[in-house]
Amino acid sequence: MNTVIPIAPAMPPVEFDIGLLRELPQTGPRYTSYPTADRFTDAFGYKDYLHSVAGLRTRGADKPLSLYLHIPFCENICYYCACNKIITRNRERAGTYLGYLKREIDMQGTLLGAMNKVEQLHFGGGTPTYLSDEQMGDLMAHLRRTFNFASDSEGEFSIEVDPRTVSPERVHSLRRQGFNRISLGVQDYDPQVQEAVNRKQPAEATQAIIDAARAAGFRSVSIDLIYGLSRQTLDTMGRTLEQVIEASPDRIAVYHYAHMPHLFKPQRRINEADMPDAETKLAMLSLCIERLTAAGYVYIGMDHFAKPNDDLAVAQRQGRLHRNFQGYSTHADTDIVAFGVSAIGSVGGTYSQNAKTLEGYYDALDRNELPVARGIKLTMDDALRRTIIQMLMCHFDLSMRAIEEAYPITFASYFATELEKLRGLADAGLLTLGDDWISVTPKGRLLIRNICMVFDRHLAKGVQGPRFSRTV
């Protein structure tokens, strides 16, 4: 179902309310999907995925495709990292992986390749540029032989790079290979912070890659930062922001470091005594918002900022902004086809995740099966709540009447319990409740995850043990 939901015009800027932020944060999902990935089960497998594709073919595919490729390899470990990665300097492993990846591409291409254009492509990791220039060129050529790609001006084809491992010449090659958006991991410019998290990255190296991306004609350059790292202070964060603003990327992501050493072993190497306390982290967040908005960046939501003329900001103004496993996206309502170990896709009303280990991934492909290890088929209730969460996360407004037109429900009775909880958040100043609209206030935008959690039916069932990051 293609649902067009109206949005309210002209969102006011975000408002930093230190009292609310102290009082209301809790742990909760980031809602890059709904239901969230922790709700996937191994009861959903390869045959279920095939069934969802068959249903898509029967109904007629009207959505463009978005491809996600996961390259898990890294040369060195960054202590803060929570990604699915494999640390190795044995480059032969990448060659083996590439062979299996191309086999998976062929299998997915047989199922979906002729159905619609690829409007979005994203390479994540790990470190995608762990692949050599020749291997990347081979992989991109294989993708283009298998799928029908949109033009460079129409599509968004992005890659994450580690400035420590690529040269300006490699950046130019990536552009020739078809990428038009590039994202750089920076985290923090301060040398002491970099040392504490085992990611030494000279500012000159980062700037050289940004300059090369501009010269090569990349449409958008993005920088990732993290606040809450070991040895970070307000002063170091302020200096990092100065350097970021001077570099002038099109997009900036400022992530809150989620310290969960019980889940991610590399984080056990971080000295917790050197980490900033909760009050300092809130001050860092306030500083980021203040400095970046003063520099002309638009606060998109969660942890993302963009220049007013960037596609992300334009999509939000036009009501086209979407949220998926890569964060905020300019291409709404695509079927996401996932490739590689642990990669997550979304096709035909289902979510599916590949095997999380190389052994499991290779074994499935050796059996001539797609390596789908777990997933979930969405119910009507899931699809309904996903639409609501998407609209709130992306546009901070929701028309209850529009939801009633798109789904066979009466909003006030179907969500009576949720509306009662929202009244409590309205009393706290996070949102306003009208006869038709649920509107998030400027001070509620930083706590949008808290608001969305009200509509999370799966979360309401309760879980065992900590597995989510704090909402702020």
Side-chain angles (χ1 to χ4, degrees):
M1 179 185 298
N2 289 330
T3 308
V4 179
I5 307 292
I7 66 168
M11 289 178 291
V14 63
E15 182 179 329
F16 193 91
D17 187 317
I18 188 67
L20 278 177
L21 296 174
R22 284 173 180 156
E23 178 184 353
L24 294 179
Q26 59 191 98
T27 60
R30 295 178 58 82
Y31 293 114
T32 52
S33 71
Y34 181 84
T36 50
D38 60 298
R39 300 298 169 181
F40 300 176
T41 73
D42 57 11
F44 183 102
Y46 169 54
K47 292 181 180 179
D48 299 287
Y49 179 80
L50 292 180
H51 189 264
S52 71
V53 173
L56 202 62
R57 286 179 172 276
T58 300
R59 295 189 300 272
D62 59 352
K63 296 180 181 180
L65 298 180
S66 174
L67 310 185
Y68 172 71
L69 285 85
H70 190 79
I71 311 298
F73 304 108
C74 293
E75 284 189 1
N76 299 291
I77 187 70
C78 300
Y79 296 161
Y80 56 80
C81 186
C83 299
N84 187 305
K85 71 276 184 187
I86 297 166
I87 309 302
T88 180
R89 297 194 177 189
N90 179 4
R91 297 284 170 168
E92 292 182 3
R93 299 186 71 180
T96 302
Y97 185 76
L98 181 60
Y100 278 95
L101 196 59
K102 290 164 71 174
R103 287 165 63 177
E104 186 183 11
I105 290 167
D106 290 339
M107 294 171 71
Q108 289 281 20
T110 300
L111 294 172
L112 295 163
M115 293 181 70
N116 241 320
K117 279 188 177 181
V118 173
E119 289 191 357
Q120 195 170 39
L121 169 73
H122 185 81
F123 274 62
T127 305
T129 48
Y130 188 93
L131 297 181
S132 70
D133 186 52
E134 182 180 355
Q135 288 172 328
M136 185 65 75
D138 178 42
L139 180 54
M140 287 295 288
H142 194 82
L143 283 167
R144 290 185 178 277
R145 285 193 297 269
T146 309
F147 291 91
N148 179 23
F149 276 68
S151 67
D152 184 75
S153 60
E154 181 186 5
E156 181 176 271
F157 311 127
S158 64
I159 185 167
E160 300 170 9
V161 303
D162 181 346
R164 302 171 300 169
T165 64
V166 295
S167 64
E169 292 76 21
R170 180 75 190 273
V171 171
H172 281 265
S173 183
L174 290 170
R175 184 68 184 97
R176 289 191 296 270
Q177 288 164 353
F179 296 101
N180 57 23
R181 191 174 80 78
I182 191 167
S183 176
L184 283 68
V186 174
Q187 322 319 341
D188 194 298
Y189 276 107
D190 186 85
Q192 294 300 312
V193 177
Q194 292 178 0
E195 182 181 38
V197 297
N198 199 40
R199 189 187 174 98
K200 295 181 180 180
Q201 184 172 314
E204 296 78 13
T206 300
Q207 191 59 49
I209 300 308
I210 294 173
D211 293 342
R214 299 287 191 211
F218 278 84
R219 191 162 71 227
S220 179
V221 178
S222 176
I223 280 181
D224 290 347
L225 302 177
I226 299 177
Y227 73 95
L229 293 173
S230 184
R231 299 185 189 171
Q232 272 183 337
T233 66
L234 275 175
D235 287 339
T236 65
M237 180 59 69
R239 289 193 294 271
T240 287
L241 289 170
E242 288 176 6
Q243 290 176 275
V244 169
I245 291 167
E246 184 177 355
S248 191
D250 302 284
R251 303 178 188 178
I252 302 168
V254 186
Y255 298 111
H256 176 211
Y257 170 58
H259 189 61
M260 295 187 284
H262 58 286
L263 295 178
F264 308 110
K265 289 183 179 179
Q267 294 186 357
R268 297 173 190 174
R269 305 185 191 183
I270 288 179
N271 185 353
E272 295 186 15
D274 290 338
M275 292 172 58
D277 60 21
E279 285 293 306
T280 303
K281 287 190 287 185
L282 284 177
M284 288 177 178
L285 175 60
S286 176
L287 185 66
C288 290
I289 294 169
E290 177 187 341
R291 293 278 184 89
L292 294 177
T293 54
Y297 286 91
V298 176
Y299 176 71
I300 301 298
M302 288 281 289
D303 27 42
H304 282 64
F305 299 79
K307 289 183 175 179
N309 60 347
D310 184 80
D311 290 346
L312 211 59
V314 173
Q316 187 174 58
R317 289 198 298 272
Q318 296 178 347
R320 297 184 290 105
L321 194 66
H322 192 69
R323 189 160 173 81
N324 60 30
F325 292 104
Q326 285 74 58
Y328 286 106
S329 167
T330 59
H331 290 259
D333 213 20
T334 60
D335 281 307
I336 302 173
V337 189
F339 305 90
V341 63
S342 78
I344 300 177
S346 174
V347 173
T350 66
Y351 290 116
S352 57
Q353 183 173 26
N354 282 350
K356 291 185 177 182
T357 66
L358 284 181
E359 182 181 14
Y361 178 72
Y362 292 162
D363 283 350
L365 289 166
D366 283 337
R367 296 193 304 271
N368 293 315
E369 295 182 358
L370 288 172
V372 175
R374 57 200 290 265
I376 190 170
K377 181 178 180 180
L378 274 66
T379 65
M380 190 279 285
D381 180 78
D382 290 332
L384 164 62
R385 291 172 186 271
R386 178 173 67 174
T387 297
I388 290 171
I389 289 171
Q390 279 275 349
M391 293 307 301
L392 290 171
M393 292 288 287
C394 294
H395 306 294
F396 303 100
D397 281 296
L398 178 75
S399 167
M400 292 179 272
R401 185 175 297 115
I403 292 294
E404 291 176 335
E405 291 174 357
Y407 293 91
I409 66 159
T410 300
F411 199 99
S413 57
Y414 195 93
F415 291 111
T417 300
E418 288 82 356
L419 286 171
E420 185 60 33
K421 293 179 181 177
L422 288 180
R423 290 185 185 97
L425 296 180
D427 291 341
L430 272 65
L431 55 88
T432 60
L433 276 173
D435 292 336
D436 179 25
W437 288 90
I438 299 171
S439 299
V440 180
T441 63
K443 65 176 63 176
R445 292 180 70 186
L446 288 173
L447 291 163
I448 188 62
R449 290 163 70 181
N450 297 57
I451 296 170
C452 291
M453 286 165 66
V454 170
F455 289 98
D456 190 332
R457 181 177 61 87
H458 296 279
L459 196 64
K461 295 177 181 178
V463 295
Q464 296 295 321
R467 60 202 167 92
F468 296 125
S469 61
R470 288 178 65 80
T471 54
V472 176

